[in-house]
Amino acid sequence: MRRLTHNLPFWGLLPAWLLMGFALILPILIIAAVSLATRGSHGGFSWDFNLSGYSQILFNEGWSGELEFTPQYLLIIGRTYLLAGLTTLICLVFALPVAWYISRQSPGMRALLVYLVTLPFWVSMILRVYAWMIILGKDGPLPRFLENFGLAPGTSFMFNDGATLVAMVYTCMPLMVLPIYASIEKLDLTLIEASHDLHGNRLTTFRRVILPLTAPGIISGAILVFVPSLGAVLEPVLMGGGKQMMMGSLIQLQFGGGRNWPFGAAIAMVLMGLVMLLLIFTALRAARRQAGMEATA
Amino acid sequence: MSRQHDVKRYPGFGWLTIVFFAWLYLPLLVVVVYSFNANRIAGVWTGFSLDWYAAALKNVPLMNALKTSVTVALIATAVATSVALMAALAIIRGRNVRFRRLSETVVNLPLLLPEIVLAVASLILFSLVGIQNGMLKLILAHSAFCTPFAFLPIRARLQGMNLDFEEASADLYASRWTTFRRVTLPLIFPGVFSGAMLAFLISMDDFITSNMLASGGTTTLPVYIFSLIRSGTSPELNAIGTLMILASLILATIALLVAGRGTRNT
């Protein structure tokens, strides 16, 4: 086999490293540098290093240069976390029973249902958000439906955090169902029977047997939903109406109309740093878990 | 054991699953239904009409955006799939690969980072390096974030593969290239094909990066749709959306079927 794989590692990985190096790693290093640069007078930036990009997250610089604490960007960071967390939680609550039900079907039915869960994920993101703009929008099916029953007349369902949340849950759901289903499918059902034989009721069995055994699927589902939710752009822009910003839409604004690149880069660094911390934390946890399992085995 | 006392069944989960699938597909259905609405105002139904499809097909900016999207997606898919195939071969088949874990992480990096960060980072890079060509910018960025989507199915396919055929081919004095072309590639083709399809769909769908890098003449389909949404919902937009939903569903189905058949045959 040596003939086949001779020198393969080097030449095989070279294009990947070149592409990722130029289009990914280099840009990330540059954005880190830009977050420390100074805002230019006509957009762009100049290479005078300082922390003003970061201090703008917390402080507003007055006319005479004094710093005044402003909570507005902290509120955006807080809202981002709250909405991403709620999205993850709601997806989890619905994905668990659905994944469980799918895993109890015949193999053919299981394959069909998994396919049906996956399918909407491949429909353009902007269309999936747009669909909810129609449904919740003025004269949309939902307000009209409710009005027919005399409920909530004249209420606007759009342009608030709730609308953003609805679209986020909708776009993220497949990412939660699939990993949970994968771990439930591997579950040893005799353990559940054993739990019941030992007089564990459904809730106890769920809490003490099913939940711990499907934890890896739940954790990877939660990460797959939480990470893109933190960086959501389309949902807050289209559903939140631009006023109810999240970190993603705030970054976009700074590189578009806002034209404050160092500030935008600083927010991007904060967002990326939070995501990285989360990923490193879960990777360490998984490694420790594995080490623990090997030690007991 | 009667059904009711089956401890592996939870009452109500079946109903919840039905509601779940209705919730998953109804929004897409709403777009489809409204695309046949004769009324100019999207929310009010007045009658069946195909006018908006005719209008969509005659819409020149839309067709230009579609052309841009397809061009970018085809080139990005070719680049991403080649890069992913080579990387997967090296990572799974290579002996003594240094930085194996690190290389795999780097290939999958676009999946780990929020897209908006990558989008603004590439915007800054391209403006610093002085890349003016809008298409080139889009192709570079798309190639990078499509690579993991091509990589994962190929990697899965390679990992589950038996080495006997390749060894037999080598024993029969086939050259390395012949073995790759006549034995390895046909065997991993389902993985390569579904990887390429997924990369293509991801590129076609992308809004965040394309919007950030958009300049005159490089408006992609999702960026154009965004501008339509911004100027108010219209039945024509629903017609365009319906055609896109249909195209996505067909392509994704083909990709998933090929990937599924591949795993069953081995």
Side-chain angles (χ1 to χ4, degrees), chain A residues 133-211:
Chain A
M133 291 180 75
I134 305 183
I135 294 172
L136 300 183
K138 202 165 150 284
D139 293 321
L142 188 75
R144 282 175 163 264
F145 178 80
L146 291 177
E147 232 165 278
N148 281 346
F149 293 95
L151 293 164
T155 318
S156 175
F157 293 94
M158 282 293 291
F159 310 130
N160 53 50
D161 287 341
T164 306
L165 187 62
V166 166
M168 284 172 69
V169 170
Y170 184 69
T171 51
C172 289
M173 189 59 94
L175 296 170
M176 182 67 94
V177 177
L178 295 177
I180 293 183
Y181 167 77
S183 68
I184 289 183
E185 209 196 6
K186 281 191 231 129
L187 199 68
D188 183 357
L189 292 176
T190 53
L191 292 174
I192 297 165
E193 279 162 14
S195 163
H196 282 267
D197 291 344
L198 296 167
H199 299 284
N201 61 23
R202 281 205 170 101
L203 191 66
T204 316
T205 308
F206 177 75
R207 213 163 46 83
R208 304 289 295 271
V209 181
I210 299 174
L211 212 51

Side-chain angles (χ1 to χ4, degrees), chain A residues 3 115-116 130 170 193 252, chain B residues 8 24-25 176 238 253:
Chain A
R3 297 199 321 160
Y115 160 76
L116 285 177
Y130 168 68
Y170 184 69
E193 279 162 14
Q252 197 195 32
Chain B
K8 285 159 304 205
L24 208 52
Y25 283 90
R176 258 192 285 166
N238 294 330
T253 303

